[in-house]
Every structure is written in C-alpha cells, then in structure tokens.
Amino acid sequence: MAMDFRDLTMISRRSLLKAGAVGGATALAPGFIGSAFAQDRAKTLVIAAPATPLSLDVENSLSLGTIDTVAAFYDYLIEFNKVPDPKVPGVMREDLAPNAALPGGYNLKGKLAESWEFAPDGKSVRFVLRKGVVSNWGNPLTAKDVKYTFDRKFEVKGAGAFMTFVMGLPNKDAVVVEDEHVVSFHLENPNPILMIVCGHLANPIFDSVKCQEMATADDPWARKFLDTNVAGFGPYNLKTIVRGQQMVATARPDYYDEKPFFETVVFREVPASATRLQLLNGGAVDIAQALAPTEMKSLSASPKAEVTSIEASQMLWIELNTAFKPLDNPKVRQALNFAMPKDEIVKTILQGFGKKQTAFMPDFYPGATSEFYGYDFDIDKAKALLAEAGFADGFATTLAYNAGDPIEEPIAIMYQTALRKIGVTIELKKLPAGTFFDSLVKRTEPMIFNLDAPFTPDPGFSLNLYFHSASFLDFSNYKNEKADTLIKQSLSTLDEKARMSATKDAQKIINDDAPWALIANPGFHLAHGKDVGGIVYYTSNRLNFQDYKRV
C-alpha cells in the first residue's frame, strides 16, 4: 500500500487543537457575524474556531476545521446508531457495542445505503443504495458515485490509501457496480471492521458527475475543485469560504433525511482563544472551540455559556522513539512511565478536564483494557528500573513539544522536574507548530508529544494504527513481531472471541514494552451557549452542525 497519507505531514486533528494561543485577536465589532445572519440569529449557528478548514477534501487534509465541516457537506454509506450518554444527561453518542447478530457486527444505521448483506464467507458485502437522493448539485445518487469515490482513493493516495488498506480492498476492481443502486465490495479475506470503517470520517461519498465535470487533464480527480468546493450528499451546501476569515454553510431544502435545525452555519476564524472566550461570553457566538483549561474553568461563572464535558477518544502521550538509545531498552521506557506525574498534570494543568491515561487506546472502546496498567507515579520504582537497565546514574535526552499547544509546555516542565529525581536530564525543545508536526512524522526526536485519536472504535484498528511496525503512525519506531502477528489476526477473522483475545494479548505486550509515556485522556469539551442543545459525541471528536438546535 502506498503511504502518501504520511506526506500530509500530519496537519491533522492535532495540528490546530488549542492553537488559540497563537495569533492576534479579532475585533469584537457589532457586525461580527454580518447583518444578513443577525436578522435570523435564532436559526444561525455561529462557531468561533482557531482556523478555517485547510481543505474541504479529506484526501488533502484532516485538519481540525476539515474534520468539523466535512460531515455537513457529505454523507456516508452507514453510521452508528445513537444511544444516550450514560454519564452526561441530554447528550447522545454512538452505540459502539459489538453485536454479532447484526449485519456488520454493530448497531448500524443506513445513510446512503438503505441495506447491506454479507456473503456467507464474509468476503463480500452488497449495498443497496437509497433512491431519490440528490447531491448539492442536483445529481442523483447512484452506484457509480460509490465506485468513483473508492477509485479516487486508490488514485489520489491521500487519506483514502490507508482507508482502503484497513478495509481490505486490494484494488479498484474490488468495488463493483452491479446495478444503478447496487454496489458490492469484494475482499481477499474476511474483514471484521469493513462496515464501521465505511462510516469513518474520511470515507464520504462524492458526486461523481460533478467531480468528473470539474476534472482536467492535469487534475483528473478534481482535487483543486474539491479543495474549496463540495460535491456531496450531505445536509448542508457551501455558500462561501474565505480562508483566514470564515466559511458559511446553508441547509439544503432537498436533503433526503431529517432537515437540520440551523439553516445557516457561520464558521469564523478567531485565532486567539481569549477572544473566542469573550465572544462566547458575550453571546456573539454559540460555540467557542479549543479553549484552554483555565478558560473553560472560567465558564462555570458565566450566565450565558457553559462547558459540556464528555468521555472521548483523544489521548495525550509522549512518543519514546526506540531508534534512540537508551530508549531502545524497555526497562528505561517503563521507568519514564513511572516518572510521569499523571494525576498532578490532570489536576493542575488540565484543571480536571480529563483523566489519567491507563491504556494504549481509548479505554471505552470495545476490547480496550487497563488490566495490565501499573504505571502510577512512583519515583522509587523508576529509579530501580533504570538501575536494572544499567542507567543507575541516569542519562540525558531531549523532549520536543508544540509551541502552539498551551498545555504541552507546562506538562513538559513538570515532567522535566520529576525526571531529575531519577537522574534523567531532558532538554526541552520548543518547536513551532509546522516544524513540530514535521518532526513528529519524520521521527527525528527521541521524545515528542502526541495528541491523537483513532476514529474507528475498534481495538484492532487502534492497535494497527499506532503499534504495527508497518504503520505510518508508528512514530515511536516500535516493533514487536508477536504484537504485529496478533494485530493482524484481529483484523482477519470474524470470530469476535478470537479477535478480542488477540487484541488483549497484544495490549499486554505493548503495555510491557511501553513505547509511549502515558499522560492523559483529555476528553471532549464543548464550550457553548446555554441555549444550544442537541449535542452528540462522535469518536472523530468533530462538531456535527446538523445535530445542534436551540433549547
């Protein structure tokens, strides 16, 4: 499989998270959202974001802005059904519980696919598409749109290259148009996560007619057009986008499914988090993204705004690059875990927004376990492990962090202080955002922060993404042949018991090898006006404009 997705230099959901610490403030003018929108403020959702989307094409970017906007313009073959969040009243979330009795193994809901059926051997699935669906350009949905979408993934080799790999699609011929509204996927081996990956944020279905109309000899897959335009079957249409200023979306009256409450969405770039907070408190915006923990804490006293905190898939950790000595020694990596003051970080730096990390994947995902975790803060244990590894006097190394993330520097300083107690000296390396992500992807630093989430809620997918030695996201250069074998087994059998056994064994190996220094599960925290409801949490940690409503 081609790994061009890696060349996106990880301008990913990480790159703009909490980027609000950078940049100047936006003036708080009365006309912040424009007079046309202010005339019907009740039906207009205004979002203050760190930046406008880098691209509207998921093959080009998975930036924070792209993640938050793509699902407004595009629909997917399927999605998870929703259930009430057991911990947060009034909030819904995806039903992630596996159910072998259901086609695809999960509680799924058809979107563009009306129904689906697997072959008895599990090597093919046949989708019947919904009739009467049209794109934002008025073109009817057909099986050719699905075929085009996956052909494009193989040709463009962006995010889709990884998607087709984990879905088990060997080549373009694996997606077959059987009828105007029937399309089938053909696999070389059974794939237990094929269906849920169809609902991954990076797998929207494109309007092939419009895309082919906009293609050129130099750009046969309409990448330039889709960078700043949309061609999909979602609930919103793009009205305008001016990068560095704002994007405006309008609800489609011809959308086939439930119509959104908000007729207009204004996604406004406000680089400074303090300004985003001020706009929210003043009622000028409905949602303020990426606030610092202290800013979120301040909203407890706000008469107009609040924070809804939800257990989420995001994880914060430090990559321990095994290509650098002495980080190639598992006892050293274990020692570095015992020296991480996780509880203190959550309490003081994260201000209680989140919890300590005790697993190497989101701990609420099916099959995730903290059973093998034992890395609570213990300086004596850390010293003993270093002595066993032959480093009783410690060693020196470097820890890189993102200058654009306001929480990484204080965590780095706290960790640096703790490591001194075990004789380890770390030089802190403050990197600008662009340089930081380039260093992360190229694996040039011995220790470097990472903030990420596996969007597909499956243990095999999660472990494959970060810990298989062939993965483009194995930034710690971790390699364990037994773990590789177990991960591969978990993705090539439909026997759920065998899958869970394989991923559990893999988690024990990874926990003992400790390729990450665990820190925290920061959670998903939505800072919003008190009159905004309809909150639904997705494992992609995205906003979903069509869910929100006035309450």
Side-chain angles (χ1 to χ4, degrees):
M1 171 192 125
M3 288 299 180
D4 298 83
F5 181 41
R6 178 172 169 177
D7 295 334
L8 298 178
T9 62
M10 301 309 294
I11 315 173
S12 70
R13 50 261 191 198
R14 298 181 290 278
S15 66
L16 289 172
L17 277 166
K18 298 188 177 70
V22 183
T26 297
L28 300 180
F32 175 75
I33 64 169
S35 58
F37 304 130
Q39 289 174 7
D40 193 7
R41 185 69 176 86
K43 287 286 188 175
T44 299
L45 179 70
V46 185
I47 300 164
T52 46
L54 294 178
S55 174
L56 296 176
D57 184 357
V58 292
E59 300 296 342
N60 291 340
S61 171
L62 283 176
S63 71
L64 179 63
T66 306
I67 287 170
D68 286 329
T69 56
V70 66
F73 304 123
Y74 293 92
D75 263 356
Y76 300 76
L77 290 173
I78 57 92
E79 67 178 6
F80 283 99
N81 268 305
K82 311 300 189 302
V83 293
D85 189 299
K87 298 179 180 179
V88 189
V91 171
M92 302 292 287
R93 64 187 302 136
E94 296 162 308
D95 182 2
L96 306 183
N99 188 334
L102 297 174
Y106 286 86
N107 183 14
L108 302 176
K109 172 186 176 182
K111 288 294 287 181
L112 297 179
E114 190 173 58
S115 63
W116 51 93
E117 181 181 7
F118 277 84
D121 63 2
K123 292 184 179 181
S124 66
V125 60
R126 186 172 180 265
F127 293 96
V128 177
L129 302 181
R130 200 176 298 277
K131 296 179 181 178
V133 177
V134 297
S135 75
N136 61 305
W137 296 100
N139 297 315
L141 170 71
T142 71
K144 291 181 180 179
D145 295 312
V146 180
K147 171 66 174 169
Y148 172 88
T149 295
F150 284 89
D151 283 357
R152 187 174 189 266
K153 290 180 183 299
F154 280 104
E155 293 295 333
V156 172
K157 298 182 177 67
F162 177 73
M163 291 295 114
T164 53
F165 173 75
V166 296
M167 292 172 75
L169 299 173
N171 50 52
K172 291 193 293 184
D173 294 336
V175 181
V176 177
V177 174
E178 296 189 6
D179 198 349
E180 186 177 11
H181 291 93
V182 180
V183 64
S184 56
F185 292 179
H186 298 264
L187 316 176
E188 294 178 340
N189 299 292
N191 189 311
I193 64 172
L194 171 67
M195 288 300 298
I196 59 176
V197 178
C198 281
H200 189 285
L201 186 79
N203 287 329
I205 302 302
F206 290 98
D207 172 359
S208 62
V209 174
K210 185 62 181 180
C211 291
Q212 289 169 335
E213 176 189 328
M214 302 308 297
T216 65
D218 294 335
D219 185 17
W221 297 98
R223 297 188 72 168
K224 292 178 181 177
F225 173 74
L226 292 173
D227 191 50
T228 54
N229 295 275
V230 298
F233 300 92
Y236 283 91
N237 199 359
L238 177 66
K239 184 175 182 179
T240 60
I241 181 169
V242 180
R243 292 210 172 96
Q245 296 183 29
Q246 70 178 21
M247 182 202 76
V248 178
T250 55
R252 288 179 50 200
D254 58 350
Y255 182 57
Y256 68 95
D257 207 346
E258 182 180 354
K259 305 298 190 293
F261 174 87
F262 286 106
E263 296 172 358
T264 304
V265 178
V266 181
F267 194 85
R268 186 70 180 264
E269 180 168 322
V270 183
S273 64
T275 306
R276 297 195 295 272
L277 174 67
Q278 190 175 357
L279 290 166
L280 180 62
N281 270 321
V285 305
D286 299 296
I287 293 173
Q289 285 191 294
L291 299 182
T294 52
E295 293 170 332
M296 292 192 291
K297 198 85 169 179
S298 73
L299 288 174
S300 62
S302 174
K304 292 185 177 181
E306 61 188 351
V307 176
T308 296
S309 296
I310 305 167
E311 183 179 47
S313 60
Q314 282 184 347
M315 304 176 289
L316 175 65
W317 70 93
I318 292 174
E319 302 279 359
L320 305 178
N321 193 333
T322 62
F324 289 82
K325 292 182 178 297
L327 301 180
D328 59 337
N329 189 317
K331 289 187 181 296
V332 170
R333 299 195 299 268
Q334 290 174 2
L336 295 177
N337 269 280
F338 278 111
M340 179 68 72
K342 291 182 280 291
D343 290 313
E344 188 64 19
I345 288 169
V346 171
K347 179 182 177 181
T348 62
I349 297 175
L350 298 184
Q351 295 286 301
F353 290 103
K355 62 184 180 182
K356 68 181 178 184
Q357 186 181 7
T358 60
F360 288 81
M361 71 173 80
D363 58 6
F364 63 90
Y365 276 13
T369 180
S370 298
E371 176 183 343
F372 310 114
Y373 171 80
Y375 293 120
D376 281 344
F377 186 59
D378 190 330
I379 290 297
D380 292 336
K381 182 67 173 175
K383 286 181 177 178
L385 283 164
L386 281 185
E388 290 177 31
F391 294 92
D393 295 329
F395 61 91
T397 188
T398 302
L399 170 60
Y401 65 94
N402 182 2
D405 188 329
I407 68 169
E408 288 189 13
E409 184 170 77
I411 291 175
I413 292 170
M414 184 177 287
Y415 191 35
Q416 181 187 50
T417 301
L419 288 174
R420 287 196 190 107
K421 297 177 182 179
I422 63 171
V424 174
T425 302
I426 57 170
E427 175 190 352
L428 300 185
K429 195 171 181 180
K430 186 175 184 177
L431 299 176
T435 304
F436 173 85
F437 290 104
D438 189 55
S439 297
L440 179 66
V441 171
K442 293 181 178 177
R443 312 177 193 189
T444 58
E445 300 294 335
M447 298 171 64
I448 189 168
F449 277 83
N450 202 347
L451 173 68
D452 199 15
F455 289 177
T456 296
D458 178 82
F461 180 95
S462 302
L463 296 177
N464 182 70
L465 190 65
Y466 298 119
F467 302 111
H468 194 285
S469 59
S471 173
F472 67 101
L473 288 185
D474 178 24
F475 295 143
S476 59
N477 282 309
Y478 174 66
K479 183 174 183 179
N480 184 301
E481 291 183 2
K482 190 172 181 181
D484 281 354
T485 299
L486 289 166
I487 292 169
K488 185 176 180 180
Q489 288 175 0
S490 76
L491 294 174
S492 57
T493 177
L494 301 181
D495 184 331
E496 192 67 14
K497 185 176 180 180
R499 291 189 68 230
M500 292 301 110
S501 176
T503 55
K504 184 175 182 179
D505 291 346
Q507 287 175 84
K508 184 180 189 309
I509 292 170
I510 294 164
N511 183 83
D512 292 344
D513 285 346
W516 295 355
L518 304 178
I519 304 177
N521 299 107
F524 180 83
H525 310 286
L526 187 71
H528 60 94
K530 290 183 177 180
D531 63 342
V532 174
I535 299 170
V536 181
Y537 172 72
Y538 299 86
T539 54
S540 58
N541 300 289
R542 71 178 187 263
L543 302 182
N544 222 46
F545 305 159
Q546 54 268 43
D547 292 331
Y548 300 119
K549 61 189 69 174
R550 295 275 178 221
V551 293

